[in-house]
């Protein structure tokens, strides 16, 4: 790729960012949000769904020991929802906020409410289902290079990836796609954390350190293989983070595997060009979770399956089919400003300027075009000026009105290009003494006398 194309793509991205930012709602009037709220079609199912989310969030807020936070969190959320400038981000991200408050507040859940921790369940299931303890096999050989390779997706990209996916969807795809991302990603993690709370299981590092000794909620967590990363960089970042994690025994399901799978599904759905790269990252992270002794293979499989289920169950109809690659208004405006062709690849009707009947009846809709093509052929050879390549640039100069003039040009040039339709309806022309496959009228006369094959 030449520097010219790289510069063009960079300019296009910067222009898309500019248009995306300028298109944001900057209003501070709560009445705007209230009007949108009233305009919603509130079905019983939607009301029940919203009520369940509110009750769940309220449950965790009540458990927070700090009275200040009990007041601050709901007040800040309600204010952010009412103001249009913030509600456009906060409302789609509400499932993510519920997941975060569930995760961080679970540490104050009374011990008498919590179920017993399973120490051997996952290791036993893995041996039964896969014939061996896969995670144990993967940790028998370690090396600083492998540690770095495992650390990058597990300890870095995992936390940055969701923001990158969200930004790209916001910039280059329709608004429904971003709402879908916040909904699916949030509820994937929320369901995963709830399962971890209801089914606490010890990860592989516990077996390495404590064996089969019964676990309790007073134990500190362990960074597992990430302790080697702390040693390499001379820090205690992961040791301190995992030792005081809100959910120490949250091995099942693996949300590292679930999040990476969800990201790959979204990239493959909305940006198919990068599908292979996304799944390479997923495979590397799956390996890293076991190599670093944080998950068993069964945890990884469960997390991936949960991501697939949530992805397809929550997919709105607006992003299915061709909606998956529908570009954002900001991206289309940026392309138009740079004089680039907008939209997706033109269909065969657009390429050859053939009109499609309103009832979409297929090739039969071109029968009227064959008549006009006969008139154009009788009028003599076409002038060279009437010949134009497929997919002309609708706005070569980038000036205003380019798209409208292009559509008008399509309508004016129709009778010159409709001869394509006459080739499609060659059987009709045979009866007039013409055939596209023979050069003399005598042969055509024989074909006409023979009649159509039955």
């Amino acid at each position: 790729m030449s520097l010219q194309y790289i510069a063009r793509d960079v300019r296009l991205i910067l222009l898309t960012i500019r248009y995306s930012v300028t298109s944001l709602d900057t209003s501070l009037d709560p009445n705007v949000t209230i009007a949108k709220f009233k305009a919603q079609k509130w079905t019983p199912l939607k009301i029940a769904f919203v009520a369940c989310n509110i009750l769940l969030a309220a449950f965790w807020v009540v458990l927070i020991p700090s009275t200040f936070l009990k007041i601050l969190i709901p007040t800040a959320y309600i204010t952010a929802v009412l103001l249009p400038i913030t509600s456009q981000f906060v409302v789609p991200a509400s499932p993510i906020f519920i997941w975060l408050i569930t995760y961080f507040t679970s540490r104050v859940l009374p011990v008498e409410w919590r179920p017993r921790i399973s120490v051997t369940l996952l290791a036993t299931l893995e041996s039964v289902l896969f014939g061996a303890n896969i995670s144990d096999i993967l940790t028998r050989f370690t090396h600083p290079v492998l540690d770095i390779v495992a650390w990058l997706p597990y300890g870095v990209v995992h936390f940055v990836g969701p923001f990158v996916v969200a930004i790209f969807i916001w910039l280059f795809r329709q608004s429904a796609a971003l709402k879908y991302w916040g909904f699916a990603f949030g509820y994937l993690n929320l369901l995963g954390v709830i399962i971890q709370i209801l089914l606490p299981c010890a990860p592989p590092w516990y077996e390495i350190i404590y064996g089969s000794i019964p676990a309790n909620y007073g134990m500190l967590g362990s960074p597992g293989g990430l302790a080697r990363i702390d040693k390499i960089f001379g820090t205690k970042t992961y040791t301190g983070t995992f030792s005081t994690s809100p959910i120490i025994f949250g091995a099942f399901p693996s949300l590292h595997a679930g999040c990476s799978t969800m990201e790959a599904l979204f990239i493959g759905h909305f940006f198919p060009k990068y599908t292979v790269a996304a799944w390479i990252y997923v495979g590397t992270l799956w390996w890293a979770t076991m190599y670093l002794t944080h998950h068993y293979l069964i945890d990884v499989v469960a997390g991936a399956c949960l991501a697939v289920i949530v992805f397809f169950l929550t997919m709105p109809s607006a992003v299915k089919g061709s909606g998956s690659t529908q570009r954002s208004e900001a991206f289309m405006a940026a392309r138009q400003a740079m004089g680039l062709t907008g939209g997706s690849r033109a269909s065969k009707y657009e390429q050859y300027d053939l009109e499609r009947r309103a009832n979409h009846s297929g090739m039969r809709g071109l029968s009227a075009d064959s008549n006009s093509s006969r008139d154009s052929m009788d009028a003599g050879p076409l002038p060279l000026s009437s010949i134009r390549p497929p997919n002309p640039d609708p706005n070569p100069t980038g000036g205003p009105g380019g798209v409208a003039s292009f559509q008008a040009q399509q309508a004016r040039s129709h009778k010159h290009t409709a001869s394509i339709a006459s080739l499609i309806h060659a059987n009709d022309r045979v009866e007039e003494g013409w055939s596209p496959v023979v050069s003399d009228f005598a042969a055509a006369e024989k074909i006409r006398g023979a009649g159509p094959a039955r």
Side-chain angles (χ1 to χ4, degrees):
M1 182 180 292
S2 65
L3 293 177
Q4 179 182 359
Y5 288 106
I6 294 177
R8 184 200 66 181
D9 292 342
V10 171
R11 183 190 170 198
L12 179 61
I13 293 174
L14 294 176
L15 203 56
T16 303
I17 295 174
R18 174 188 170 187
Y19 287 160
S20 297
V21 173
T22 55
S23 65
L24 293 175
D25 190 348
T26 58
S27 173
L28 297 174
D29 185 6
N31 293 322
V32 176
T33 304
I34 295 174
K36 292 180 180 179
F37 181 83
K38 292 180 179 179
Q40 286 282 335
K41 295 181 179 179
W42 292 99
T43 62
L45 181 61
K46 182 181 290 188
I47 294 174
F49 181 76
V50 172
C52 289
N53 282 268
I54 294 175
L55 290 175
L56 179 61
F59 169 78
W60 293 111
V61 169
V62 170
L63 291 179
I64 297 177
S66 173
T67 304
F68 174 74
L69 291 178
K70 287 182 180 180
I71 299 174
L72 176 63
I73 291 176
T75 302
Y77 178 79
I78 293 173
T79 303
V81 168
L82 287 176
L83 299 179
I85 191 173
T86 52
S87 65
Q88 58 192 329
F89 299 106
V90 172
V91 173
S94 292
I96 298 177
F97 294 139
I98 298 175
W99 153 53
L100 291 175
I101 194 173
T102 301
Y103 175 75
F104 286 105
T105 313
S106 62
R107 68 169 74 245
V108 299
L109 197 66
V111 176
E112 55 270 19
W113 293 5
R114 302 186 182 192
R116 185 179 63 86
I117 302 169
S118 176
V119 174
T120 59
L121 175 63
L122 296 180
T124 303
L125 286 176
E126 180 153 318
S127 299
V128 172
L129 295 176
F130 304 108
N133 190 329
I134 307 300
S135 61
D136 178 62
I137 296 175
L138 293 177
T139 57
R140 290 177 182 176
F141 175 78
T142 62
H143 191 275
V145 174
L146 294 178
D147 294 340
I148 296 295
V149 173
W151 163 68
L152 286 174
Y154 191 89
V156 179
V157 181
H158 169 73
F159 300 100
V160 179
F163 294 98
V164 174
V165 173
I167 291 173
F168 270 78
I169 291 176
W170 173 55
L171 291 176
F172 303 113
R173 289 298 179 259
Q174 59 168 312
S175 59
L178 183 60
K179 296 177 182 178
Y180 172 36
W181 167 252
F183 193 91
F185 184 78
Y187 282 110
L188 162 68
N189 285 277
L190 178 61
L191 291 174
V193 167
I194 291 176
I195 294 173
Q196 291 174 352
I197 294 173
L198 297 178
L199 184 62
C201 296
W205 59 257
Y206 183 91
E207 182 182 3
I208 295 174
I209 298 174
Y210 300 103
S212 57
I213 297 175
N216 62 78
Y217 289 103
M219 291 181 168
L220 295 178
S222 169
L226 288 174
R228 298 193 295 270
I229 298 297
D230 282 344
K231 185 177 180 180
I232 291 174
F233 293 106
T235 64
K236 294 184 179 181
T237 302
Y238 293 102
T239 300
T241 301
F242 283 90
S243 297
T244 58
S245 173
I247 302 180
I248 301 295
F249 301 100
F252 183 90
S254 169
L255 289 180
H256 274 75
C259 290
S260 62
T261 302
M262 182 67 76
E263 291 163 12
L265 290 171
F266 266 81
I267 292 173
H269 187 73
F270 292 102
F271 306 97
K273 181 179 179 181
Y274 305 101
T275 300
V276 175
W279 284 105
I280 290 175
Y281 157 69
V282 171
T284 306
L285 189 139
W286 288 359
W287 161 78
T289 61
M290 294 179 284
Y291 174 79
L292 296 173
T293 68
H294 282 275
H295 292 285
Y296 294 96
L297 179 58
I298 190 173
D299 308 332
V300 174
V301 173
C305 290
L306 182 61
V308 172
I309 292 172
V310 174
F311 175 80
F312 286 104
L313 286 183
T314 61
M315 182 185 295
S317 58
V319 300
K320 294 180 180 179
S322 60
S324 63
T325 54
Q326 181 177 334
R327 292 167 174 170
S328 65
E329 295 181 0
F331 185 46
M332 294 296 293
R335 289 178 61 88
Q336 184 176 2
M338 293 180 60
L340 303 175
T341 55
S344 57
R345 182 179 178 181
S347 66
K348 60 184 178 182
Y349 299 96
E350 296 168 334
Q351 290 178 1
Y352 299 106
D353 209 17
L354 299 177
E355 292 180 351
R356 220 181 318 204
R357 291 185 60 175
N359 60 1
H360 302 284
S361 57
M363 298 307 299
R364 291 178 299 176
L366 300 175
S367 59
D369 294 342
S370 62
N371 295 328
S372 63
S373 68
R374 298 168 191 170
D375 298 337
S376 64
M377 292 188 66
D378 294 340
L382 299 177
L384 292 177
S385 60
S386 66
I387 301 176
R388 59 187 177 84
N391 292 330
D393 191 345
N395 190 7
T397 62
V403 176
S405 62
F406 170 58
Q407 294 173 346
Q409 181 186 0
Q410 282 186 316
R412 290 195 301 269
S413 62
H414 166 68
K415 67 177 184 178
H416 297 300
T417 57
S419 58
I420 299 296
S422 65
L423 295 177
I424 300 174
H425 295 277
N427 292 334
D428 298 338
R429 301 301 301 272
V430 168
E431 296 185 1
E432 297 179 9
W434 178 88
S435 173
V437 295
V438 295
S439 59
D440 60 290
F441 283 87
E445 188 69 22
K446 293 179 182 180
I447 296 175
R448 183 178 63 181
R454 298 293 182 185

